[in-house]
Amino acid sequence: MKFTQFLKTKGANAAIFMGIFYAIAMLGIFLPGYTAIPGNIDKLPIAIVNEDAGEYGAKIASQLQENLPFKVIETDLTNKKALKDLEHNDLGLVVHIPETFSSDMKNGETSSSIDFTINEAGATVVSSTMNSIVKEINNLLSAQFSQQTAQGVLMNFNVPEEQAAEIAENIETAYVGNVVTINEIPDGMHNNMLPMFLSMACYVGAMIGSMQLVGAFKASREKASKTRLFIYVQLAALVIAVVSSLVATGVAYLINEPSGDLFFSLVGQQTLNYMVCFNFTAILIFLLGEGGMILNLPILLTQTLANGATITRDMMYLPYEWMSHISPMYYSVQAYFANLYGSISPSPYIWSMVAVGSVAILINIIIVAISHKPMPVDDSATDAENTTEIIA
């Protein structure tokens, strides 16, 4: 056999196709998706809560609205409602100006502060970006606003203007920017990425498992009815889900060391993840056979951006945002963030996964019922197989 003949074989052609297809799919999905960072930072919603009736609070709130690089700035929320929205990642930042801010500044109170609250239990780009922006705001206010305030206070005590300016320079600060972090994530990138890695490991395993089990379903069509085989496929997937979830959670505990109280909830969620991802990816396999795996790959790649671990829905371009609503990985990642690090219940995301999985399994039932025609079951072959097993 010549090399040119070898290149014409089915296996070689498939390898060439997949090499080209995967390169186009990965770069064509990842590169456009990541242009949203930092391009779409301005789409993140924030809240400015001004409870100060004095001039300073209104002035700072107005300046922040004009200068902060965000298109959506909520100003009509209470601090309690804004913090609740922040916990659910509906906001990226809450700026709270307390009601005593102006009076404290006029009296030279060094305890006066503006609270900048950030939620770490969410997309990594959001928390890192907000920390950078808050740092810049605080540096600006500390350098300009507080020194002018100190000069004004000294002038009220009839200190000459030149002397007041000199004394003011020695005052450390009359303003303190209080950065509040809720739902802090332990140090280490492996902790930030744990929700995404748990979800991806489950998804990839389920995607490969769907190809193998659907293949077994088709290979066994003459040995049992398609209804029984479909049930067998689901039961096999459930066994794999439980075993792989115990292993995945065990590895996570060895490396990340989350709270021991979370063990069974993490195993339960990972098991649910597997079943949902299995039926989600099995749709194309039941419909197109092994060719469905080719389409499953770009769907997987799209979800690595659309799962919300790196960027939020507000920053995503439309195709990725659509994918986040219909695919299981987004809800899985958000549920893990809430369960591992958050202060809210993961239940809404869990139920969303259940909804996606229910729709997926219903679609699979319809495909099997319509596309896979009934085949005569060879009872003699089944009996012979059973006899062989008994003898063995």
Side-chain angles (χ1 to χ4, degrees), residues 120-132:
E120 281 198 354
T124 54
V125 168
V126 176
S127 58
S128 61
T129 299
M130 293 306 171
N131 272 303
S132 299

Side-chain angles (χ1 to χ4, degrees), residues 243-292:
V243 174
S244 63
S245 297
L246 287 169
V247 173
T249 307
V251 173
Y253 268 82
L254 285 173
I255 299 172
N256 291 67
E257 300 179 352
S259 170
D261 297 339
L262 297 174
F263 182 81
F264 290 107
S265 62
L266 294 181
V267 171
Q269 182 184 327
Q270 192 76 349
T271 302
L272 174 63
N273 287 351
Y274 188 96
M275 293 304 297
V276 173
C277 295
F278 174 83
N279 280 286
F280 182 81
T281 56
I283 292 173
L284 291 173
I285 308 296
F286 272 122
L287 194 60
L288 303 174
E290 291 185 2

Side-chain angles (χ1 to χ4, degrees), residues 25-101:
M26 187 169 184
L27 295 176
I29 290 170
F30 278 6
L31 295 183
Y34 277 111
T35 60
I37 308 170
N40 287 355
I41 288 293
D42 60 344
K43 293 185 179 180
L44 291 172
I46 71 166
I48 299 176
V49 181
N50 179 25
E51 296 179 341
D52 180 25
E55 58 178 317
Y56 288 145
K59 182 177 180 181
I60 290 176
S62 177
Q63 289 179 344
L64 289 176
Q65 289 183 63
E66 291 176 5
N67 298 317
L68 285 176
F70 302 106
K71 293 180 180 179
V72 181
I73 300 179
E74 302 282 352
T75 57
D76 57 349
L77 299 176
T78 64
N79 193 47
K80 183 178 180 180
K81 177 64 168 62
L83 291 176
K84 184 177 180 181
D85 288 349
L86 181 68
E87 286 183 343
H88 288 82
N89 288 313
D90 294 329
L91 292 171
L93 172 70
V94 174
V95 182
H96 176 226
I97 305 173
E99 57 182 342
T100 60
F101 184 75

Side-chain angles (χ1 to χ4, degrees), residues 132-255:
S132 299
I133 290 174
V134 168
K135 185 177 180 180
E136 290 183 15
I137 294 172
N138 282 329
N139 288 340
L140 180 63
L141 292 175
S142 294
Q144 299 177 5
F145 184 78
S146 57
Q147 185 171 345
Q148 295 172 6
T149 303
Q151 286 185 9
V153 171
L154 293 171
M155 288 293 293
N156 288 338
F157 288 98
N158 297 319
V159 179
E161 183 176 354
E162 293 182 1
Q163 187 179 352
E166 183 179 350
I167 297 173
E169 290 177 359
N170 296 323
I171 297 177
E172 289 186 2
T173 182
Y175 160 82
V176 177
N178 187 29
V179 181
V180 181
T181 302
I182 62 173
N183 304 326
E184 290 191 27
I185 297 177
D187 292 336
M189 196 65 181
H190 61 297
N191 288 309
N192 290 80
M193 301 307 292
L194 180 59
M196 179 176 173
F197 288 160
L198 279 171
S199 301
M200 284 194 67
C202 183
Y203 191 97
V204 173
M207 182 175 69
I208 296 172
S210 67
M211 183 178 68
Q212 299 296 331
L213 289 179
V214 173
F217 168 89
K218 293 180 178 179
S220 305
R221 286 298 310 279
E222 295 182 353
K223 298 177 182 179
S225 67
K226 62 181 182 181
T227 301
R228 175 174 291 189
L229 288 173
F230 184 82
I231 294 173
Y232 286 171
V233 166
Q234 297 297 323
L235 289 175
L238 181 59
V239 171
I240 297 168
V242 173
V243 174
S244 63
S245 297
L246 287 169
V247 173
T249 307
V251 173
Y253 268 82
L254 285 173
I255 299 172

